[in-house]
Amino acid sequence: MFIDKSLKQYALDTKSSDPTPGGGSVSAYVGTLGSALTSMVGGLTFSKKNYEELPEEVRTNLEANAKELEGLFEELANVVDEDTNAFDKVMEAFKMPKETDEEKKARSQAIQDGYKIALEVPLKCAEKCHRVLELQDVFAAYGNVNAITDIGVGVLLAYSGLEGALLNVTINLGSIKDEEYRTTISAKVSSLLNSAKELKEASLKVVYERLNA
């Protein structure tokens, strides 16, 4: 499993001519790091002497978001390897026999099903990165100011993970013939990307305001 390798080995595996790990796996890993940095900021915030001076509602949000981020960290880490295996179904389908009309039909359907599986894994990654972005705003606004750059980097990483994953969704979508499915997924891609851009810019605005205060 790639997620269990050292940082250097994962980078070397990515650098090699082997197609895995590729952009989808790397996007999931980047999203994992974005979640991890945000959790770190949470830990540095909760340990502050004046943490209890924050409004109760803010503390409740910080703690609830930190708890959810723990789950997202694990889920995104799992996608690092899940994405690597997602294209296997497509490759298996291409190896199916195609001598008779029935075989050709079965092969074509299997290829289409495979592309949908290959698409849905990075889409899941993008959705989880989007959720990380949603959870980061309170850390940008109220997190330990000494770690303000860490939350900024976390925001950038979560956004990069999302957009990278959506690139992989889009390339697989181009091979799918089901127009209704394509329309639905395309709309979801646009919605996620536009929302993520707004979330990223809003949090970074706060980060820079606190950084330059």
Side-chain angles (χ1 to χ4, degrees):
M1 293 178 67
F2 288 116
I3 194 63
D4 293 326
K5 293 188 176 184
S6 70
L7 288 173
K8 185 171 183 179
Q9 188 57 55
Y10 183 78
L12 287 171
D13 289 342
T14 304
K15 176 176 172 286
S16 75
S17 58
D18 194 308
T20 58
S25 175
V26 171
S27 293
Y29 187 62
V30 166
T32 305
L33 290 176
S35 172
L37 270 176
T38 311
S39 292
M40 182 192 79
V41 174
L44 293 172
T45 302
F46 304 143
S47 62
K48 285 171 59 179
K49 291 181 180 179
N50 60 348
Y51 175 66
E52 294 300 325
E53 296 176 11
L54 289 173
E56 183 179 354
E57 182 179 358
V58 171
R59 284 185 280 118
T60 298
N61 287 340
L62 282 165
E63 290 163 20
N65 287 13
K67 184 175 181 180
E68 188 172 350
L69 281 164
E70 291 295 327
L72 286 165
F73 173 88
E74 295 295 337
E75 291 166 9
L76 282 165
N78 288 336
V79 177
V80 171
D81 285 295
E82 190 177 349
D83 186 273
T84 298
N85 301 324
F87 205 67
D88 288 350
K89 294 294 183 183
V90 178
M91 301 308 296
E92 290 171 9
F94 272 112
K95 295 176 183 177
M96 290 174 64
K98 51 180 178 179
E99 298 300 322
T100 68
D101 288 342
E102 285 188 2
E103 287 177 344
K104 289 177 181 178
K105 184 177 180 180
R107 178 176 177 272
S108 178
Q109 184 60 54
I111 290 172
Q112 289 297 299
D113 292 342
Y115 274 121
K116 287 183 179 180
I117 293 171
L119 175 157
E120 287 165 3
V121 173
L123 182 59
K124 177 172 67 174
C125 175
E127 290 171 338
K128 293 185 184 306
C129 286
H130 186 274
R131 184 57 183 156
V132 173
L133 285 163
E134 289 180 319
L135 297 172
Q136 288 172 324
D137 62 347
V138 69
F139 293 96
Y142 296 100
N144 189 327
V145 71
N146 295 316
I148 193 63
T149 55
D150 296 300
I151 189 63
V153 174
V155 169
L156 290 169
L157 289 172
Y159 178 81
S160 294
L162 178 143
E163 186 163 10
L166 291 180
L167 287 173
N168 283 272
V169 172
T170 302
I171 194 170
N172 286 306
L173 192 60
S175 299
I176 292 177
K177 299 175 182 178
D178 184 337
E179 289 297 331
E180 184 177 351
Y181 182 86
R182 287 180 60 166
T183 298
T184 299
I185 299 299
S186 292
K188 187 172 290 189
V189 167
S190 295
S191 177
L192 279 169
L193 191 57
N194 290 334
S195 176
K197 287 178 179 177
E198 291 178 2
L199 290 166
K200 177 192 70 171
E201 293 304 322
S203 286
L204 287 180
K205 182 175 183 291
V206 175
V207 166
Y208 278 109
E209 286 174 351
R210 296 186 70 198
L211 180 62
N212 296 319

